[in-house]
Amino acid sequence: MQAIGASSRLPTIAASTLEFTPPSKRSGHAATRTNASMTSQDLSKERRIEMLEHYSDRLIVGDSIRKLTRPVDARLRRMAEAITESVSGDMEKALELPSKGAGSSGDKENSSIASRTRSRGGRTTSTLALGPATKHAPSSGNVLSQGVAKLDISPKESEQPRINEIRKWAKTEDKFGGSEKDMYESIIAFFAYVARGVKRHLTTSKRVSEDTKGKCRLIIPGLHPDYKPGDSDDSTRIDIGLTDSRYNATIESCTNPSYYQMRAIIEAKRGKTSKDLRDAFVQLSEYTRQMFAEQYDLRFAFGFTICAGEVCLYHFGNSKIVASAPMDIATREGRCSFIELIVNMSLCENSRLGRDPTMQFLSDLNCWEIDCPDDNDDNCAGRDTVKQYYFSDLICVADRLLGRHTRCFPATDMRPAKKREKGEPLKATVVIKDAFAFAKPDASEDDRDEVKTLKRIRSEFERENPDDIMYPKIVVGGRVRFKRGDKTIEDTTSTMYEGVDDELLEKVSGGTLFRAHRRIVLASIGEPLRTVGSVKEFVTVICDAMESHHAIVERCQILHRDISDNNILVVRSGDTVRGLLIDFDCAIDTSKDRGDVRHEMTGTLPFMSFNNITYSNVKRTSLDDCESMLYLLCWYATIGFGSKDERDEAKVAFKKKAIAQWRNGGMDSIAEAKRLHIASPINFVDCIVKKFDTAAKHSMELRGLALRLYQALFESRHFDTKFHGSRMTGGGSLMAELLGIQPQPTATSGDGFDESNPFAMRSREWEVISRDFLDVLARAKEDMVNWVDAPQQPR
């Protein structure tokens, strides 16, 4: 098992621990996509290089990842072994290819992805308009209603053309002999051959009950490869989409499976050069990201790259991407391994393919049912207590390949009395947040459990809330659990990777990589921040959010640490608009002495504070969240607050503005951009403020607010005489020194603070500076009644 890194064939990739924010151009009220994302076209060379930097540091090779597709049920596992042996034997007999021998297989593996990627020595909210919930029903048995064409593979007499296609592929050495279209046909023929064998065995077997058989499936490729899925959010085309069908259905395939129907995606290349391997990996990663966005119940995903005759399985989890060793179709062993994989995917439990067993689509009601745990506070005595809720769409999409895969569903606890009509929304009374958050294996020792955090906030503000602070009101919540055989297990990274070898398990789930699937029901219902329609609404919403932030820090000693557009909701009641701060996954208890608080990197990339993005040793405080709010204001002020068409127009110009550098590239390049932009008020105004969207009403007032917030943060009146704001009285700029523009002194005090570092000095005065920051926002909110509607300026 090796980390993908430097080798003679694959150049070293800069490390990055970011959650990749992909491109999106969706809009509408139903679901949110990352506002930090810009509209994507085809994967250009520059785009692929950028994505490779994001993804490659998360990629490791571990061949035991193939074990994840094995059925848990012992009877199905034995049947899978029998089917594999039978189908493999039939194929070898039909192919009549000479054996290449183990030595040849080993020689070929030396040119595989594993040998080319040696270890180097052991890292927002637009909206998605969704159709009716029936579109997002589970795919099994429901994907044959669109453009169906038969894969006539049942009669053995019709196998010869298919065998000819497979034989053509099996003879591949360094490059597939025919065209790319011919290669697609060979791959489709291979899957069709295996599907026929699976169906034949399942339909004739008397040893397995019909109920057990009903949980199996046939893995079917789309018949028309190289296409753009109908629910794609960009113009890219995938090579082959794999969907499924009931085990006893006529073997058919959807001509154009959409992302919400897919079980996996295949990205194929005729050759297997280093460039082919890299391009296939990057493209597969980007396409799989859209599977997470479109499938509400997807916990993890599989995908395939096929480069010439080498097949690699990829597993996309929350923190890592794991690739299997290549299966060489030119060898009997490689073909048998690939057949075994397809058969296992056909017979294994849905949860082994990434589906969430605690969610099910109710076709008779045309909506989803979801189980929500209700864990008690300290001893978790109520572990098995669950409550059912119902939803039809969502307001937050898991549109990132890696990370928490957060989804938010507006839901009700009232089971619908009748089938929901197409396009008819359910009347929601709560919002359900579903995410894979970092955690500790023992829930009772998890001091960052968001459920505990929210219950603590609720307890404090339910008791007394004289200022009418908006705060997230938890109803129930806890770690997601489901049945596996006779056992009830927690859905964590450990159970997700159950069956892989210990070395791989440690690399994907050990230490700080451990995550728990957590589900929380909140009483407050809101809309994405992107739905604000004016500067006035925006200022009101962010002011409410920061007032809540300040009160929670002051009264509960809880620091949020992830101020971003995804984590602020717009709450409307009649003509009243308010803002609600949500998502306390990254929050910490500031009353506890934590040594890792200084160095931990959290947040959403474009809005990370400079301390955060540079991994500074300065203790994180409210000032980091205030700085994130300043960046969020600048981001929205640049994109604008008009109609969708007006925002799209502003986004085109956005790409050419300096603020776009807060999103593009790796950590170092983003830090370098912010290093320049906040070095002085002049830089901040020239690079950022002057680039605000001038077509928005009150854009001038927003410019003034941004500059006053900057001054409150970086030129505070609370520094001593040596530090007048962030400048030394002698004329040199300490801010400039910190940001690397001038040489920086290294003197430190006894408590470890850098005496020459204005960020360190500010952290000592965080309470008064953050209070000043909030006062600036509050005054702007009060002064809005006096704002004059000046004529709009053209962009």
Side-chain angles (χ1 to χ4, degrees), residues 261-508:
Q261 296 173 315
M262 294 179 191
R263 288 291 190 174
I265 297 170
I266 296 174
E267 178 59 31
K269 303 291 180 186
R270 292 176 60 219
K272 55 180 181 179
T273 65
S274 294
K275 181 180 184 303
D276 291 327
L277 295 171
R278 287 196 300 266
D279 285 351
F281 164 63
V282 169
Q283 289 174 263
L284 176 66
S285 299
E286 175 63 0
Y287 304 153
T288 303
R289 187 268 304 175
Q290 298 204 53
M291 286 179 60
F292 283 109
E294 296 298 331
Q295 298 185 29
Y296 297 170
D297 59 342
L298 192 61
R299 297 155 52 239
F300 57 84
F302 287 107
F304 295 93
T305 61
I306 300 180
C307 295
E310 292 184 353
V311 180
C312 282
L313 173 71
Y314 285 80
H315 177 278
F316 299 88
N318 299 105
S319 299
K320 296 291 183 180
I321 305 169
V322 184
S324 72
M327 294 164 275
D328 188 353
I329 297 301
T331 68
R332 177 174 185 144
E333 180 183 3
R335 292 189 292 272
C336 184
S337 295
F338 193 26
I339 291 171
E340 178 186 40
L341 187 59
I342 300 170
V343 172
N344 283 339
M345 293 179 69
S346 302
L347 271 64
C348 71
E349 293 79 3
N350 258 316
S351 63
R352 301 287 277 179
L353 292 180
R355 298 300 172 88
D356 188 337
T358 66
M359 296 173 61
Q360 60 176 323
F361 183 76
L362 307 177
S363 57
D364 58 327
L365 296 175
N366 197 19
C367 69
W368 287 83
E369 181 182 73
I370 183 171
D371 295 339
C372 295
D374 185 11
D375 291 353
N376 291 336
D377 292 322
D378 297 321
N379 57 12
C380 298
R383 280 184 178 276
D384 296 327
T385 302
V386 297
K387 187 173 182 179
Q388 281 72 42
Y389 288 84
Y390 305 88
F391 70 90
S392 59
D393 54 18
L394 74 172
I395 58 174
C396 181
V397 175
D399 66 348
R400 300 181 183 184
L401 180 68
L402 303 173
R404 291 176 289 173
H405 293 152
T406 301
R407 300 176 176 94
C408 294
F409 310 103
T412 175
D413 61 351
M414 296 294 293
R415 184 184 177 92
K418 62 179 182 178
K419 186 172 184 176
R420 186 180 65 91
E421 295 297 327
K422 182 178 180 180
E424 176 189 0
L426 293 178
K427 187 175 181 180
T429 57
V430 297
V431 171
I432 300 172
K433 176 190 172 184
D434 186 86
F436 280 84
F438 288 115
K440 292 183 178 179
D442 188 341
S444 64
E445 297 178 356
D446 191 359
D447 55 357
R448 294 194 184 177
D449 187 337
E450 187 180 10
V451 175
K452 296 178 183 177
T453 298
L454 292 176
K455 288 182 177 179
R456 181 172 162 186
I457 294 172
R458 181 185 65 186
S459 176
E460 175 65 27
F461 286 92
E462 276 185 344
R463 179 172 52 83
E464 185 180 11
N465 189 13
D467 298 322
D468 191 27
I469 296 294
M470 292 285 288
Y471 66 94
K473 300 175 183 178
I474 185 172
V475 179
V476 296
R479 293 189 178 187
V480 174
R481 290 170 287 276
F482 59 86
K483 290 283 188 180
R484 179 174 287 173
D486 297 330
K487 298 180 180 179
T488 298
I489 61 174
E490 284 190 351
D491 194 13
T492 65
T493 45
S494 292
T495 55
M496 182 186 298
Y497 291 97
E498 185 177 356
V500 304
D501 61 53
D502 292 342
E503 184 182 0
L504 178 57
L505 183 62
E506 179 63 24
K507 287 183 176 292
V508 296

Side-chain angles (χ1 to χ4, degrees), residues 733-745:
S733 171
L734 277 182
M735 181 70 74
E737 290 178 9
L738 170 70
L739 300 176
I741 298 172
Q742 300 175 19
Q744 181 179 330

